Amino acid sequence: MKLLHPEATVTMPHASPATQPATIRTGLVIDDVRISIGERVLLDAVRLGVSAGEFAAVLGPSGSGKTSLLNAICGLATIAKGTITLEERRVDDLSSKQRTTWRLSRIGRIDQHGDLLPELNAFDNVALPLRLLGADRRTLVKDVQAALDTLGIGDLGKRSITTMSGGEAHRVAIARAIVTRPALIVADEPTGALDETTSAAVISELRNAAQQTAAALVVVSHDPTVRKAADAVYRVDHHRLVAE
Amino acid sequence: MTLSLGARLIITQLRNDRSRLVSVAIAACIAALIVSALASGDHVRSLSAERAADRTPAVASTYQPTDTYFLGRSEVIGTTEIQIVDFDPVDDSQTSTLPAGVAKLPNPGTAVVSPALAEKLAADPTLAGRFPEVADQTIALEGLRDPGELIAYVRVPTPGTLADDDSAIRASAIGGDPNSYGSILYLDPAVDGIAASLFAGLLFLIPAVLILRAGVAARSEVLEQRILTMTRLGASRSAITRLLAIDTAVPAAVGAIAGVIATAIFTRFTFTLPFTGYRVSGADMNVGLPVHVLIVLAVAAAAVTSTLALTSLRRRHPRGAAQRSSVTPVKKIAGALSTSVGPLLMVSGSIVRGETGGNLFLIGLLCFFVGLPKLLTTLVTGIGQALASRRTIELHLAGARISDARQRTARLLISLVCLIVMVSIVQVFYTRFDPATSPIATSATAFDLFTADEFSTATAEQLLNIDGVRAVVLHGTEAVDEDPTTGMPIDNTAFTLICPTHSTCPTVTGDLTLSELFAGDVDNYVASNITPTIAQSLDTITNTDLSSNVRATMLIDADRADQAWAEIAGTFSAPYFITDDVYQVLPSPIIGWINLGLYSFVSLALLSIGLAYSAHVRTNSERNTGLVRLGMSQHRLQRTIAAEVAIPFTAATTVAALLSFATAYMYAYLDGLNAPTTSFMTGLTISSLGIGAVVTFASAIGGARSAGRLALRND
């Protein structure tokens, strides 16, 4: 993991030199990115590098641009300047259709409330990305069950999301995020509605899942639990991303 | 135990949640009041129709010494209009044709009056002076249109007087066609006016039912919390169901009883129906205790049915697609259809069998509309579950959401179905006035009669210029000829009424020659008095004309098909009818009320559709946003949204079309009206599908764009 801002201090044990972002060949590289809405600049000169299996936490107050950063990484928002690269492939110059496919196959996303569909059971929620990718039935069942087993909820596939506890629902959301074996997992306030104990468990499982699937992990949060568990912590400060 | 707990809960609510409890009672009261009033009105209508038929003289086809001459007239004394029927037995010693309701032959010059008129005569000396000699008997109920009718039968002082009067009718018996001579002898029975008033009231029944449901729904928040609490305490589903039933049934029953009692009090008085001038007595409006009990039960059942839907809240969220019920969607739909349509068909059968079905029809209609939400909810659920099992991701997601949001989706569709059904029923009703929507299939004869309402002189002159139109007869009461068979005088109105049913009429061939029918004089009359200067032949329009069923007739050489004549006549902006059926013009205020009710209903339905649609979009926006973030393309999302909107919409429209056909044709059959044409019903269905297509398109485009914007929402 690397913060590629010139002023950042990189202390991560697995970090590559800040001046050599290209050495992160299987992770996420953000170089000199500016994110703005109209004339208003949300983030500027953002440099960040996250290797496969690493865990970076981005902290900041509400409205500071954390979710916008995630949206830019996911290809949901265009950037005004700079480059975003995942697995050595530029994301920011993909077409809209390419970004959609890329997001579906290479990124796993978890939001505060999981964005799970209450009308689907756990199995169908986890299977959703594979269905969108057009996976055949046999592959779908195998991969979904594997993802559920990874999170220790292999026997809850038929359960309705709405009858699950908060922790169980988050495990389902994590399982959905890793079911396509993405290169990057991003999470937006994944523990916002959980107590400290459950938060710690969810973050631990999220980290384990990312490591097992060799995915880079970026979590946007202000939860102390996340701060403690992360390999590197960054803070949004005056439109800049600063390492703590 | 459940009963006592339910009672305690209600008493507690009276202290803590009084307003919501009272709202249910008030809603039930309004619904019961409307249903009860409609039932009473229908009772009056059927009684009026029966009596009008029973007292109409049957015209003598061959002269008998037992015949009696009748001549109707009316007198306006002050503000009171009195119908007077003079009668004159041919032979006093052999008379068997007494006026209906008159038990024995009064002396010459003596009047037999209705009880209501007797009361007025006793109270008003001026009025009494017009009837110097009143018999010691009054007209019995079977001879009266209603107990409040002001009518007198006067036996002419000098026997044989009416035999020389061309306007008099020679009758051989009582029990003729009320649409022919009944309208000449008596004031307008106004049966159709009452029916129109009832229909106008019926339009308000649906909002009343919606109010009832809204009243029940207003308590749902309180009940939902109670259900959850009781579920957590371990209460069984049946126990919760019983508690809910008691909780709602009690205030609903109280309200319904209050509504029925209010109607019962209202029906103790005699009053005049607005616009029709028809006097209604309480006795005729009293539908009896069993019907009142049925109404109370129906309203209470309606409220309870609405409440019991809340029991599904025990599971705070619906089943997932993988947790399907063992009951297949097809079975569910079939069950719901049978339970919803069953009451309506059952009551319809009752009416067809000739039972006093009008009241039951209204109750059945109430049950039908109350059952409709359940039907559509089940339909939506079935569709959702069926789609959710599909592998195609769009259908899979759409089905899961439809199944999950079945209540919301159903609410959206209920308005649509009600709208379609009501519009089709209104269309049937309007065929009474505008059969252009449903021309009667009659075989072309040598000449056709087009009878019509409200032809103006200008229109008549225009019609005369059409090739093939031989005459336009504006009706009057002046005798123009005598029927050679019956010896009856023929005036324009009588001519029009007789011709369609006269045995010789269809056999007339060739050029317009009516000699076979009316001793050759009618043709001459038409030629000399009407063609070509029709304006000079117009009689003064009298009150009798205004109350007659038909006001103008076109005599037409029938070289063209009926439809062609219909189209020609239609260009003159005058309502026209091909003969066989006689239609009546309703007072315009009634039409106004019907239109007001219809427009109100349509507005309510459209507003409801709008609100439900808005709620539907809001509910789905979060899901859609999540799908975009997950990686679903805009096109796929649009297809998903389109599927979840279009499929239930189409299903609902199909159900609505079927229901429209069923109710429209049934209503037309029961009321002897023309059914709407297939093209109209098809047009209505296609229009509804068009609305669905627009809604689907807007939902798909708008929903996907909205989701895309929300996906970019900043923290």
Side-chain angles (χ1 to χ4, degrees):
Chain A
M1 164 98 60
K2 280 297 177 191
L3 178 72
L4 299 178
H5 192 279
E7 300 170 7
T9 303
V10 178
T11 56
M12 292 301 301
H14 305 293
S16 301
T19 55
Q20 298 174 1
T23 60
I24 301 177
R25 307 186 67 82
T26 58
L28 172 71
V29 177
I30 300 175
D31 189 18
D32 195 24
V33 161
R34 176 187 295 163
I35 300 171
S36 57
I37 299 176
E39 297 297 320
R40 187 165 70 97
V41 175
L42 287 176
L43 292 169
D44 196 11
V46 176
R47 294 171 186 271
L48 181 68
V50 188
S51 298
E54 292 181 344
F55 176 8
V58 178
L59 310 179
S62 296
S64 60
K66 301 189 301 293
T67 299
S68 295
L69 176 61
L70 285 193
N71 285 339
I73 292 172
C74 295
L76 281 167
T78 54
I79 56 178
K81 178 186 168 189
T83 60
I84 299 175
T85 308
L86 183 67
E87 295 180 306
E88 297 185 306
R89 180 172 185 183
R90 285 276 297 274
V91 178
D92 52 274
D93 60 356
L94 294 175
S95 69
S96 175
K97 187 175 181 180
Q98 288 173 324
R99 280 205 301 269
T100 299
T101 307
W102 173 82
R103 181 165 67 248
L104 187 59
S105 58
R106 303 312 301 148
I107 293 184
R109 177 160 177 159
I110 302 163
D111 284 287
Q112 181 173 348
H113 300 292
D115 266 355
L116 297 173
L117 305 190
E119 60 265 32
L120 300 181
N121 61 22
F123 184 95
D124 284 334
N125 262 290
V126 175
L128 196 53
L130 294 176
R131 287 184 192 274
L132 288 168
L133 285 169
D136 62 78
R137 177 77 183 162
R138 182 177 298 176
T139 305
L140 184 145
V141 170
K142 183 168 71 68
D143 288 356
V144 170
Q145 194 57 49
L148 289 171
D149 289 341
T150 300
L151 272 299
I153 52 173
D155 57 341
L156 299 184
K158 299 297 181 188
R159 280 266 298 277
S160 168
I161 293 300
T162 55
T163 62
M164 290 182 163
S165 66
E168 288 172 335
H170 271 77
R171 288 191 187 96
V172 174
I174 295 170
R176 190 178 71 177
I178 65 170
V179 74
T180 57
R181 304 192 69 80
L184 172 67
I185 298 173
V186 295
D188 189 0
E189 304 281 7
T191 59
L194 301 177
D195 60 68
E196 189 174 347
T197 306
T198 309
S199 292
V202 166
I203 289 300
S204 173
E205 286 159 358
L206 186 56
R207 175 169 187 157
N208 291 338
Q211 287 178 341
Q212 286 182 33
T213 54
L217 175 62
V218 177
V219 176
V220 163
S221 176
H222 54 261
D223 185 350
T225 309
V226 176
R227 183 195 295 267
K228 290 176 191 170
D231 296 325
V233 178
Y234 303 95
R235 178 169 45 83
V236 178
D237 187 14
H238 293 90
H239 309 295
R240 300 294 177 106
L241 200 60
V242 180
E244 286 194 345
Chain B
M1 181 181 148
T2 308
L3 277 173
S4 62
L5 178 58
R8 281 203 300 276
L9 287 170
I10 289 175
I11 293 170
T12 308
Q13 286 176 71
L14 276 174
R15 288 196 295 266
N16 302 331
D17 191 28
R18 189 181 306 145
S19 60
R20 286 195 173 92
L21 203 62
V22 169
S23 71
V24 172
I26 290 175
C29 180
I30 293 171
L33 192 64
I34 291 178
V35 175
S36 185
L38 288 172
S40 298
D42 184 67
H43 196 53
V44 170
R45 183 194 64 81
S46 61
L47 283 177
S48 178
E50 287 172 13
R51 289 171 186 158
D54 288 345
R55 71 178 180 182
T56 302
V59 178
S61 55
T62 56
Y63 289 174
Q64 301 291 333
T66 53
D67 294 347
T68 300
Y69 286 99
F70 288 90
L71 179 63
R73 56 192 168 95
S74 64
E75 282 195 23
V76 178
I77 303 171
T79 57
T80 305
E81 185 176 17
I82 300 169
Q83 180 68 17
I84 299 172
V85 178
D86 295 315
F87 71 99
D88 183 10
V90 172
D91 184 344
D92 290 355
S93 61
Q94 300 186 62
T95 294
S96 63
T97 314
L98 285 175
V102 177
K104 60 181 181 181
L105 185 65
N107 295 323
T110 303
V112 182
V113 300
S114 65
L117 181 55
E119 288 179 18
K120 278 190 172 292
L121 293 175
D124 188 345
T126 307
L127 191 61
R130 306 295 291 269
F131 296 89
E133 194 171 351
V134 175
D136 58 355
Q137 61 174 320
T138 54
I139 304 170
L141 186 63
E142 61 265 27
L144 297 173
R145 185 185 61 190
D146 69 285
E149 187 177 20
L150 301 175
I151 185 171
Y153 287 107
V154 179
R155 185 180 175 189
V156 295
T158 307
T161 304
L162 294 187
D164 299 327
D165 190 330
D166 289 341
S167 301
I169 296 169
R170 180 165 178 157
S172 60
I174 300 297
D177 180 6
N179 286 326
S180 57
Y181 292 105
S183 62
I184 299 172
L185 285 180
Y186 301 103
L187 290 175
D188 181 7
V191 173
D192 285 346
I194 298 171
S197 300
L198 286 173
F199 189 80
L202 191 64
L203 289 174
F204 292 95
L205 177 63
I206 311 304
V209 172
L210 295 178
I211 290 170
L212 175 62
R213 291 187 65 84
V216 173
R219 283 175 37 75
S220 62
E221 292 176 13
V222 176
L223 294 177
E224 181 178 352
Q225 186 57 46
R226 186 189 303 166
I227 292 168
L228 292 175
T229 303
M230 298 204 57
T231 303
R232 286 169 186 152
L233 288 174
S236 68
R237 189 183 184 89
S238 61
I240 291 175
T241 302
R242 285 197 301 275
L243 274 177
L244 282 176
I246 295 168
D247 187 285
T248 306
V250 171
V254 168
I257 290 171
V260 168
I261 289 175
T263 311
I265 293 172
F266 190 58
T267 56
R268 292 176 66 87
F269 304 99
T270 297
F271 60 94
T272 303
L273 278 179
F275 312 123
T276 64
Y278 186 79
R279 290 178 293 277
V280 179
S281 73
D284 281 1
M285 292 185 71
N286 186 7
V287 293
L289 185 61
V291 175
H292 281 147
V293 171
L294 273 175
I295 291 171
V296 170
L297 289 176
V299 172
V304 169
T305 305
S306 302
T307 308
L308 291 185
L310 295 173
T311 54
S312 62
L313 292 171
R314 287 192 66 204
R315 280 166 292 182
R316 295 191 60 189
H317 301 282
R319 286 187 296 268
Q323 293 178 301
R324 296 185 190 94
S325 165
S326 58
V327 181
T328 64
V330 174
K331 286 182 181 175
K332 280 186 173 181
I333 294 170
L337 271 171
S338 60
T339 53
S340 298
V341 181
L344 194 63
L345 294 177
M346 183 180 68
V347 174
S348 305
S350 172
I351 298 171
V352 170
R353 288 193 300 273
E355 300 167 6
T356 309
N359 303 326
L360 295 175
F361 178 81
L362 292 171
I363 296 169
L365 205 60
L366 177 68
C367 293
F368 168 72
F369 278 109
V370 168
L372 190 62
K374 186 69 176 173
L375 166 69
L376 286 177
T377 304
T378 308
L379 180 69
V380 165
T381 306
I383 291 171
Q385 291 183 352
L387 291 177
S389 63
R390 308 294 298 177
R391 286 196 60 197
T392 308
I393 184 67
E394 289 91 340
L395 296 179
H396 172 70
L397 288 174
R401 176 47 59 106
I402 289 169
S403 179
D404 179 50
R406 55 187 183 274
Q407 300 285 359
R408 279 192 298 273
T409 308
R411 272 198 290 273
L412 175 65
L413 301 177
I414 285 166
S415 302
L416 176 71
V417 173
C418 285
L419 185 65
I420 294 173
V421 172
M422 287 303 293
V423 167
S424 68
I425 291 177
V426 169
Q427 169 64 20
V428 176
F429 190 78
Y430 274 141
T431 61
R432 190 188 294 263
F433 316 110
D434 185 14
T437 58
S438 176
I440 300 168
T442 55
S443 58
T445 57
F447 69 90
D448 282 342
L449 297 179
F450 279 64
T451 61
D453 293 303
E454 296 178 345
F455 269 8
S456 67
T457 304
T459 301
E461 288 174 337
Q462 284 181 306
L463 286 168
L464 269 178
N465 293 326
I466 298 174
D467 181 32
V469 174
R470 292 297 305 270
V472 176
V473 182
L474 294 179
H475 297 171
T477 54
E478 181 182 330
V480 296
D481 201 355
E482 183 177 277
D483 188 326
T485 306
T486 65
M488 294 296 300
I490 302 296
D491 60 19
N492 294 354
T493 302
F495 161 75
T496 307
L497 294 171
I498 289 172
C499 186
T501 57
H502 197 284
S503 59
T504 61
C505 189
T507 66
V508 176
T509 56
D511 200 8
L512 184 63
T513 303
L514 299 179
S515 57
E516 299 141 273
L517 183 59
F518 296 137
D521 288 341
V522 173
D523 194 24
N524 294 332
Y525 169 78
V526 170
S528 62
N529 292 281
I530 296 180
T531 307
T533 53
I534 187 170
Q536 296 175 5
S537 70
L538 293 176
D539 295 318
T540 302
I541 301 298
T542 65
N543 286 336
T544 307
D545 287 311
L546 292 174
S547 63
S548 70
N549 288 327
V550 182
R551 296 180 191 155
T553 301
M554 287 193 296
L555 303 180
I556 295 169
D557 289 332
D559 293 334
R560 297 187 179 95
D562 289 341
Q563 183 62 39
W565 282 117
E567 290 172 358
I568 291 170
T571 61
F572 289 92
S573 304
Y576 63 89
F577 305 101
I578 301 171
T579 54
D580 285 339
D581 287 330
V582 177
Y583 295 86
Q584 184 173 29
V585 177
L586 291 175
S588 58
I590 289 184
I591 302 294
W593 276 108
I594 292 173
N595 286 332
L596 178 65
L598 177 63
Y599 295 146
S600 303
F601 179 82
V602 169
S603 303
L604 191 69
L606 290 177
L607 179 65
S608 178
I609 288 174
L611 291 175
Y613 170 67
S614 174
H616 185 76
V617 170
R618 278 202 308 275
T619 306
N620 283 352
S621 64
E622 193 174 336
R623 188 279 310 260
N624 296 340
T625 304
L627 290 174
V628 170
R629 285 177 175 163
L630 193 65
M632 187 177 233
S633 70
Q634 292 276 314
H635 291 308
R636 269 192 157 171
L637 183 57
Q638 285 172 0
R639 286 198 294 269
T640 303
I641 296 171
E644 65 194 17
V645 174
I647 291 172
F649 210 106
T650 306
T653 306
T654 306
V655 169
L658 292 173
L659 292 176
S660 296
F661 273 85
T663 52
Y665 281 100
M666 184 183 68
Y667 173 37
Y669 173 74
L670 292 176
D671 221 7
L673 298 174
N674 299 329
T677 57
T678 305
S679 60
F680 170 80
M681 302 301 286
T682 306
L684 187 65
T685 305
I686 292 175
S687 302
S688 306
L689 287 172
I691 294 173
V694 171
V695 170
T696 300
F697 184 75
S699 302
I701 301 297
R705 285 184 177 172
S706 172
R709 284 196 299 272
L710 287 171
L712 297 174
R713 186 180 52 200
N714 296 311
D715 59 348

